[in-house]
Amino acid sequence: MLAPDDARTCIVFDFETTGLSPAQGDRSIEIGAVRLQGGVVVDRFQSLMHPGRRISSFIENYTGISNSMLADAEPCELVMQRFFDFAGDSNLVAHNATFDRRFLEAEYDRIGRQHTGGLACSMLAARRLCPNAPNHRLGTLVEYLALPNDGTFHRALADAEMTASLWLQLLDVLGERGPSNVSFAAMVGLCRTSKAALGKLVERLC
DNA sequence: TGCCAGGCCCTCTTTAGGGCCTT
């Protein structure tokens, strides 16, 4: 079954990890996700996962996830199988998606799975649609666009919720200047379109 | 002990280099 090509119907997800590179042995320690159906959050997924070793004090401080919190967590393989069952072949969205894609692919590889849906990046979309934002970090964009948040950052579900709000806001902004029903494929294409090629349309946004 | 990634974007570019962004 193919994923619906509606940018407002997708799964927005976020990983917390032991570091920056699965190729260097880093693993996931938490995944959070929200399922959007026509722009409405209809389901959520959140789970800590044990990476098989202790995490650094830097990551403990950065995420607020401690080694004691992970002590009783399920191993990555079990959590990622549950996430695979949750996500299926849905289109996915993440902030700086190349980072989350590397961890998703690495964790899926370990359990013999593969994501077959699309993947879009809210950061690249925001760079196109909000060129005047101070920067395009998730926290900055949440503040810049006055998006709802509870002050929690660097936890997977909280970041996924904020990324979902950002994604929908970007679609609203785009819809004000064009067709109201933006396809997921169009958003993927937007991320890949050079800034210059967007012309006056995007220059007026935000 | 000290360092570690990678894709995208911009520009003083394209035969390159450096900043951004993610943990």
Side-chain angles (χ1 to χ4, degrees), chain A residues 58-186:
Chain A
F58 172 82
I59 294 298
E60 284 188 312
N61 292 329
Y62 187 83
T63 64
I65 299 170
S66 65
N67 281 290
S68 62
M69 292 167 66
L70 294 174
D72 297 325
E74 288 183 315
C76 295
E77 289 77 5
L78 293 181
V79 173
M80 292 309 299
Q81 178 59 54
R82 286 199 289 115
F83 181 74
F84 179 82
D85 294 339
F86 174 84
D89 59 0
S90 299
N91 288 326
L92 301 177
V93 174
H95 198 70
N96 196 12
T98 56
F99 173 86
D100 293 282
R101 182 183 63 198
R102 287 201 304 274
F103 279 92
L104 183 71
E105 290 178 347
E107 297 295 352
Y108 271 4
D109 278 348
R110 290 174 176 268
I111 58 173
R113 303 299 185 190
Q114 187 174 13
H115 177 65
T116 56
L119 177 64
C121 177
S122 58
M123 184 190 74
L124 294 179
R127 281 180 176 172
R128 302 287 182 269
L129 297 171
C130 301
N132 297 323
N135 59 59
H136 298 90
R137 297 172 192 161
L138 179 59
T140 301
L141 290 166
V142 166
E143 181 178 3
Y144 180 71
L145 296 171
L147 299 176
N149 71 92
D150 65 1
T152 301
F153 292 90
H154 305 306
R155 287 300 301 268
L157 183 57
D159 283 4
E161 299 259 17
M162 289 185 288
T163 301
S165 294
L166 169 63
W167 182 250
L168 294 175
Q169 178 71 23
L170 294 174
L171 292 174
D172 285 345
V173 167
L174 196 56
E176 291 173 4
R177 306 287 178 174
S180 57
N181 294 322
V182 181
S183 72
F184 193 87

Side-chain angles (χ1 to χ4, degrees), chain A residues 176-199:
Chain A
E176 291 173 4
R177 306 287 178 174
S180 57
N181 294 322
V182 181
S183 72
F184 193 87
M187 289 302 287
V188 173
L190 175 77
C191 296
R192 293 175 177 166
T193 303
S194 70
K195 188 176 181 179
L198 293 177

Side-chain angles (χ1 to χ4, degrees), chain A residues 45-60:
Chain A
F45 184 99
Q46 185 277 329
S47 184
L48 292 170
M49 55 185 121
H50 199 293
R53 58 183 171 85
R54 292 180 62 82
I55 61 175
S56 69
S57 58
F58 172 82
I59 294 298
E60 284 188 312

